[in-house]
């Protein structure tokens, strides 16, 4: 008998990310609001690439992840093989 174990994705990067130290309102703004501040914060974050990869792997559809908006991630996802 084989038992498959589902393990949670490595999320250690989340505690080190700058967004964990700021408010979610920057990263999940109201529709039509600017994402400039979120992108500025992401630009300074050492966890940016891990965050973006997480968002792409988990198909995050809302908010700014890894410095990219929903539309930017969609374009990137479509361009990937």
């Amino acid at each position: 008998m084989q038992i498959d174990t589902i393990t949670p994705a490595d999320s250690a990067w989340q505690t080190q990310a700058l967004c964990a130290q700021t408010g979610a309102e920057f990263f999940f703004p109201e529709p039509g609001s600017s994402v400039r501040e979120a992108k500025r914060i992401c630009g300074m974050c050492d966890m940016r690439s891990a965050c973006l990869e997480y968002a792409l792997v988990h198909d995050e559809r809302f908010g700014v992840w890894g410095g990219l908006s929903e539309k930017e991630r969609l374009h990137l996802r479509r361009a990937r093989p």
Side-chain angles (χ1 to χ4, degrees):
M1 179 173 154
Q2 180 181 355
I3 299 174
D4 292 325
T5 304
I6 299 173
T7 56
D10 182 15
S11 59
W13 62 269
Q14 292 176 347
T15 59
Q16 299 172 13
L18 290 179
C19 60
Q21 303 165 27
T22 61
E25 67 273 3
F26 293 123
F27 301 94
F28 297 94
E30 293 294 322
S33 297
S34 175
V35 294
R36 184 178 304 142
E37 186 63 19
K39 287 184 172 195
R40 186 186 71 73
I41 294 167
C42 289
M44 297 183 294
C45 184
D46 293 336
M47 299 295 115
R48 182 178 178 183
S49 61
C51 178
L52 179 57
E53 188 60 29
Y54 176 89
L56 294 172
V57 167
H58 293 91
D59 196 25
E60 290 290 345
R61 305 253 172 136
F62 303 101
V64 175
W65 291 80
L68 299 182
S69 68
E70 297 100 340
K71 286 183 180 182
E72 292 167 329
R73 288 193 310 278
L74 178 61
H75 291 300
L76 182 60
R77 211 173 8 259
R78 287 180 177 167
R80 281 184 156 187

